[in-house]
Amino acid sequence: RSRGQWMRKVWYREASVGRYSGTSQSIHDAIDSAEKSLAANPDSRDRHRNLLQALAYAEDLGRAQEVAESWLERDRLDPEALAYLADIAARDGRRDDSIRLLSGVVDLRPDDKALHLRLAKAYRRLGDLRRACAHRVVLAELDSEKVRLLADAIRCESDNGRKSQADAIKDATPVALRARALHDAARPEPSERVRGDFVLNASWTGGSDLDIAIITPTGRRISWQGGHRRVVAADTTRIGSERLGLRRVRKGNYLIEICRTSPEDAMPIHGNVDIQVLGRRQRIAFDLNDRAEVVGRVAVRMRSRLEPR
């Protein structure tokens, strides 16, 4: 047999990490193209989305907000446009507005389990058990045959000191599932382990609360608020540090952003972000003087090699 018959091509992911050096010309070109495309068809939902993605990646939040609001003028109840507005608010240092907008999204899609789970986790990370439990209870109601969801709702209400509400969920649990649900609910809430393909560990001086975020190749924001089903976070409300992890990362270019959590905070801040992506490690120092700053860029590429069969 020839050498080629004994070998096989294996694909793998490879990452490069560096400081952010500004928006590339290709992104500017994408914005110009998307602007022209939207102008030619101003009622197109897809063309609003395409322009928003490019603007978000280019950090042009002012124009991105205009486009999202234009989208909503055509469809006041579009959940995706509201989700983009929530991302923009968070990147603009308005965390409370961002959470409020995300809650508005789930109000429009009350049966969306992924959205309820996202908000349940986000409120838990904030320490707001009342709101976290509200979403856990809805999840249990939407899928009352799933033991894990029933147990999560019972545990949450018990941890929040609402015994009567926890008992009500127990009583409503199907008899065939009740013993397993109560057994699982008796276990402590699992702590989030910040690990995965893409891990950020930020630390800074001063008394400000900051958020770290990953801007994806599609312009969406991943943070402790969610944005991806495989995101994990810790120290969300801790002053001086925060950790964020993405368990699985796909190919593309990602941005690392540091944001304030309140528009009233204007204190200059110095800090560092330790970045670990697919085995690559790098520390990037940052100075935050505005509401937000993109401090790093990560490129994930697919590579191949020949290996013996």
Side-chain angles (χ1 to χ4, degrees):
R1 299 174 67 177
S2 66
R3 181 175 181 274
Q5 291 177 308
W6 291 104
M7 306 297 285
R8 61 170 181 164
K9 181 182 284 189
V10 176
W11 290 93
Y12 63 96
R13 292 165 300 152
E14 183 179 84
S16 61
V17 183
R19 282 190 166 278
Y20 180 65
S21 57
T23 305
S24 67
Q25 185 58 47
S26 63
I27 297 298
H28 287 299
D29 292 343
I31 291 172
D32 290 342
S33 176
E35 290 275 18
K36 292 174 184 176
S37 182
L38 179 60
N41 193 348
D43 292 326
S44 169
R45 187 173 187 269
D46 289 341
R47 297 187 187 191
H48 277 91
R49 181 195 298 110
N50 292 341
L51 179 53
L52 268 172
Q53 290 176 351
L55 290 167
Y57 199 82
E59 303 176 85
D60 191 345
L61 302 185
R63 178 60 182 142
Q65 176 132 355
E66 291 175 0
V67 174
E69 289 173 348
S70 172
W71 183 347
L72 283 172
E73 285 176 4
R74 289 162 171 79
D75 185 353
R76 286 288 179 188
L77 302 180
D78 192 293
E80 191 174 4
L82 284 171
Y84 269 108
L85 281 177
D87 283 353
I88 292 166
R91 296 182 68 181
D92 195 36
R94 295 178 285 120
R95 182 165 72 181
D96 292 345
D97 289 346
S98 178
I99 288 288
R100 177 180 55 79
L101 285 163
L102 282 177
S103 296
V105 175
V106 83
D107 288 342
L108 295 175
R109 296 166 65 177
D111 296 336
D112 191 320
K113 291 184 238 181
L115 283 173
H116 282 290
L117 182 59
R118 175 179 181 176
L119 282 166
K121 289 182 176 181
Y123 281 123
R124 182 90 190 196
R125 289 165 184 153
L126 277 180
D128 189 341
L129 282 184
R130 181 180 66 83
R131 288 188 171 90
C133 292
H135 292 285
R136 288 291 184 192
V137 170
V138 172
L139 282 166
E141 291 172 346
L142 289 173
D143 196 347
S144 60
E145 297 298 317
K146 187 165 284 188
V147 170
R148 178 178 55 81
L149 296 180
L150 293 165
D152 287 342
I154 295 168
R155 182 194 303 111
C156 192
E157 293 288 26
S158 297
D159 289 349
N160 197 28
R162 289 158 55 98
K163 184 178 182 302
S164 60
Q165 285 79 358
D167 288 342
I169 301 169
K170 295 174 190 177
D171 294 341
T173 299
V175 175
L177 306 177
R178 191 171 300 165
R180 290 166 55 203
L182 294 179
H183 177 269
D184 290 352
R187 297 174 178 173
E189 173 80 13
S191 59
E192 286 194 274
R193 298 180 62 186
V194 180
R195 58 182 180 178
D197 288 346
F198 194 164
V199 175
L200 302 176
N201 191 343
S203 60
W204 59 91
T205 58
S208 296
D209 186 13
L210 304 180
D211 284 345
I212 52 177
I214 297 168
I215 309 302
T216 72
T218 60
R220 297 309 306 263
R221 182 179 188 267
I222 297 173
S223 72
W224 62 267
Q225 292 184 17
H228 193 286
R229 65 187 180 89
R230 294 183 176 178
V231 67
V232 286
D235 302 330
T236 300
T237 58
R238 183 175 179 179
I239 302 298
S241 68
E242 185 174 312
R243 292 176 290 151
L244 184 71
L246 191 56
R247 290 176 180 159
R248 180 78 176 174
V249 67
R250 296 181 177 180
K251 69 177 182 179
N253 296 317
Y254 298 79
L255 303 180
I256 299 167
E257 187 174 66
I258 306 293
C259 305
R260 299 182 190 274
T261 61
S262 171
E264 285 76 33
D265 183 8
M267 181 184 299
I269 298 167
H270 175 76
N272 297 286
V273 182
D274 291 317
I275 305 161
Q276 179 181 330
V277 189
L278 298 175
R280 293 293 182 97
R281 298 172 182 267
Q282 185 166 333
R283 169 172 284 193
I284 294 179
F286 67 86
D287 291 294
L288 183 62
N289 297 302
D290 296 323
R291 289 190 179 181
E293 185 78 24
V294 175
V295 300
R297 178 178 178 274
V298 171
V300 177
R301 298 288 180 263
M302 296 301 297
R303 298 284 186 256
S304 65
R305 58 175 175 255
L306 294 175
E307 292 184 354
R309 291 184 182 273

